[in-house]
Every structure is written in structure tokens, then in C-alpha cells.
């Protein structure tokens, strides 16, 4: 029986993702940095607050965030664990609907506003079309989440970013999956006068062959497709019922499994 491991696209075992909240005008500078170094991120927006002068106007959103992911952050950014559930539902659904009208694709992710949530909110999210939700908690590790609805980041960009990046870059044991997840708010770089923090990070970690650069929803979608592979009992054939290609390692050889295909492994 062959030794089979799940892989990220291209046979990689490391993924980098970032997410930034609130959609304020400093996103323009941040996105230019990400694009320069081939880094992808998710941006969580409040569609009910876009008329404020400090926020990206709705007519700019589709073009500015192209190549990245726009996700929900509730309509008006309340502390939702203190709100009636019908208000929570409206805040999330209305935000989704307005953002989808702007970007032209289903909005399926969320970051909890003010980091506020409870078990009841977490349980209702799948019924609102939300497939993951990021918290404001950090664990300082490079592990995959056990629950995408309580997704914790590796770090905020002000918390040991370069030390963690250097550790992440050096991880070479291919029998593990590693994910580095960085979060924050772009306006914090203006407030703290420290844009060099993210510039240095992106220059160091970007454009590497052994890292998959992905948005939050791309990771969720890929992991669902990967976990949906159907193997024969002997491990000699696999069927991919999903539309997207996924990758596995078979006796240490990266192997692409195209969407809809049966592939003989040995």
C-alpha cells in the first residue's frame, strides 16, 4: 500500500494567508505591497459604513481588491455577542448581499467584529452562507484550524512577525501541513508609523516556490475538495468528485488529481 499524504497545490506543504479588517483607505497601500510580492489576502468589509470618508468607497472596491478576497465583517460592526440573534442575522446577511452586489461573487467568509461571538452565533453561520469565521485570538503556531468557524491566526502583524516568518520559512518536514496566518488593520500602520514592518515581511516571505499564497476562502475550498477524495481500500486508485484539482504525495512523489478524474496511483 503506498504512503499517501495530502498536499497543497503543486505538492507544497506550506500556505500563507493574511486578513485585514474594516476596509479603510490604508488598504490601498497595503494591497500594493501584497501585489508586489505575490501575496494574497482576505479583506473583511462593513458595507453599511462605506460612505465614511475614511473607508474605501464602494465604486472602488471591485477593482482594488481584485485578486484577493472580499469577505463580510457585518453591516455596521456591532459587538454581536450582545445583540439579539435576529439582529445578528440581519447584520451578516445584509452585509453579504451588499458586498456580493459590489464584487460579483458569493461572499462566504466572516471575521467577527470586535472579535465578538458565542456558540449560538457560531452555530447559525452555516445557515447564513458563511463557511468560515476568523477570531482575534492568536496561537503563535503554524497549524491548520480544527474548526474554520473559530479560526485563529498565527499572529497580529505587530506580534513577533519577522521572527515567526523566519521560522515558517525554515520549516522543511514535508510530513506536516504548515499555515502562517497574519491579521490586522491596515490603518494601524499609519497610526503606528511602521509600514516598514509589513514591507520587510512581504519582501522576505513573498514569491517563494515552496509556499502556497492563498486567500482564506481558497484554503477552505481546497481543504474541502482534498478531504472529499475517494480512495480504494488498497490505496491504489483515487477519485476526485470535486471540480477543482487537488494534490497528494504518493510515496513522496507529488501527484495532481484533476477534478472529476479517476487516477491510478500504483
Amino acid at each position: 500500500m503506498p504512503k499517501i499524504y495530502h498536499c497543497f497545490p503543486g505538492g507544497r506543504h506550506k500556505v500563507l494567508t493574511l486578513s485585514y479588517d474594516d476596509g479603510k483607505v490604508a488598504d490601498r497601500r497595503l494591497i500594493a505591497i501584497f501585489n508586489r510580492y505575490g501575496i494574497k489576502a482576505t479583506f473583511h468589509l462593513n458595507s453599511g459604513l462605506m460612505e465614511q470618508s475614511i473607508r474605501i468607497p464602494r465604486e472602488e472596491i471591485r477593482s482594488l481588491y481584485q485578486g484577493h478576497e472580499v469577505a463580510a465583517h457585518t453591516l455596521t460592526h456591532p459587538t454581536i455577542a450582545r445583540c439579539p440573534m435576529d439582529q445578528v442575522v440581519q447584520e451578516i446577511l445584509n452585509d453579504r448581499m451588499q458586498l456580493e452586489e459590489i464584487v460579483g461573487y458569493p461572499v462566504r467568509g466572516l471575521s467577527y467584529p470586535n472579535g465578538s461571538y458565542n456558540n449560538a452565533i457560531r452555530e447559525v453561520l452555516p445557515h447564513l452562507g458563511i463557511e468560515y469565521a476568523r477570531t482575534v485570538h492568536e496561537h503563535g503556531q503554524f497549524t491548520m484550524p480544527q474548526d474554520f468557524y473559530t479560526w485563529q491566526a498565527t499572529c497580529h502583524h505587530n506580534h513577533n512577525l519577522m521572527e515567526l516568518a523566519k521560522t515558517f520559512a525554515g520549516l522543511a518536514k514535508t510530513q506536516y501541513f504548515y499555515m502562517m496566518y497574519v491579521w490586522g488593520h491596515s490603518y494601524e500602520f499609519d497610526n503606528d508609523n511602521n509600514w516598514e514592518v509589513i514591507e520587510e515581511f512581504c519582501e522576505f516571505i513573498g514569491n517563494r516556490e515552496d509556499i502556497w499564497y492563498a486567500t482564506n476562502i481558497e484554503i477552505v475550498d481546497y481543504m474541502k475538495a482534498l478531504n472529499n477524495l475517494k480512495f480504494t481500500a488498497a490505496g491504489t486508485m483515487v477519485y476526485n468528485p470535486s471540480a477543482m484539482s487537488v494534490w497528494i504525495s504518493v510515496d513522496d512523489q507529488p501527484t495532481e488529481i484533476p477534478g472529476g478524474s479517476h487516477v491510478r496511483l500504483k
Side-chain angles (χ1 to χ4, degrees):
M1 186 173 184
K3 180 181 70 177
I4 299 170
Y5 283 138
H6 288 165
C7 297
F8 292 133
R12 300 174 179 89
H13 67 290
K14 295 191 286 189
V15 61
L16 174 70
T17 193
L18 300 90
S19 73
Y20 279 79
D21 294 348
D22 296 353
K24 295 190 177 180
V25 294
D27 279 2
R28 294 170 181 146
R29 181 172 178 180
L30 184 61
I31 288 171
I33 295 170
F34 289 162
N35 291 346
R36 189 181 315 143
Y37 297 107
I39 289 171
K40 301 181 78 171
T42 294
F43 292 86
H44 301 276
L45 310 184
N46 309 109
S47 57
L49 302 177
M50 289 176 181
E51 304 310 316
Q52 297 177 355
S53 60
I54 59 173
R55 304 204 181 228
I56 301 295
R58 62 184 61 235
E59 60 270 15
E60 186 183 348
I61 286 172
R62 182 181 290 207
S63 59
L64 178 65
Y65 296 103
Q66 186 174 7
H68 302 277
E69 176 196 1
V70 168
H73 198 38
T74 70
L75 190 70
T76 62
H77 208 288
T79 304
I80 53 177
R82 293 187 59 193
C83 297
M85 186 58 73
D86 58 346
Q87 182 179 335
V88 175
V89 169
Q90 291 179 48
E91 281 280 342
I92 294 171
L93 280 181
N94 287 333
D95 195 34
R96 280 193 64 212
M97 286 189 288
Q98 290 199 39
L99 292 174
E100 289 168 349
E101 185 66 25
I102 295 168
V103 299
Y105 55 78
V107 168
R108 299 181 285 136
L110 174 76
S111 67
Y112 295 112
N114 300 319
S116 175
Y117 72 98
N118 54 36
N119 287 338
I121 293 171
R122 182 254 175 269
E123 293 301 321
V124 81
L125 292 181
H127 305 288
L128 304 179
I130 297 296
E131 298 184 38
Y132 73 84
R134 196 210 76 229
T135 72
V136 295
H137 301 298
E138 308 162 30
H139 50 56
Q141 304 298 316
F142 306 108
T143 53
M144 299 296 291
Q146 295 296 310
D147 179 6
F148 278 108
Y149 288 99
T150 55
W151 200 345
Q152 297 183 23
T154 303
C155 66
H156 182 279
H157 63 245
N158 281 337
H159 300 162
N160 301 317
L161 182 61
M162 284 307 300
E163 178 183 338
L164 288 164
K166 290 174 182 177
T167 300
F168 179 68
L171 294 172
K173 291 185 177 180
T174 58
Q175 66 265 45
Y176 301 109
F177 266 157
Y178 298 109
M179 178 179 68
M180 185 171 185
Y181 190 139
V182 181
W183 82 282
H185 305 85
S186 61
Y187 62 80
E188 292 174 294
F189 297 114
D190 285 334
N191 293 349
D192 299 336
N193 192 28
N194 66 346
W195 279 96
E196 71 279 0
V197 166
I198 199 67
E199 287 266 12
E200 181 186 8
F201 170 76
C202 292
E203 182 178 12
F204 172 78
I205 207 69
N207 294 319
R208 292 173 178 259
E209 290 297 323
D210 64 335
I211 296 175
W212 177 36
Y213 302 95
T215 65
N216 290 186
I217 196 63
E218 285 175 338
I219 294 171
V220 172
D221 284 343
Y222 186 84
M223 293 307 295
K224 286 181 179 178
L226 196 58
N227 290 323
N228 202 31
L229 289 175
K230 313 300 181 185
F231 292 89
T232 57
T236 57
M237 183 178 292
V238 61
Y239 169 53
N240 180 4
S242 304
M244 69 166 61
S245 288
V246 296
W247 288 73
I248 60 175
S249 169
V250 183
D251 289 333
D252 300 320
Q253 296 299 312
T255 304
E256 182 178 7
I257 313 299
S261 69
H262 291 81
V263 175
R264 185 169 294 280
L265 302 178
K266 193 172 183 179

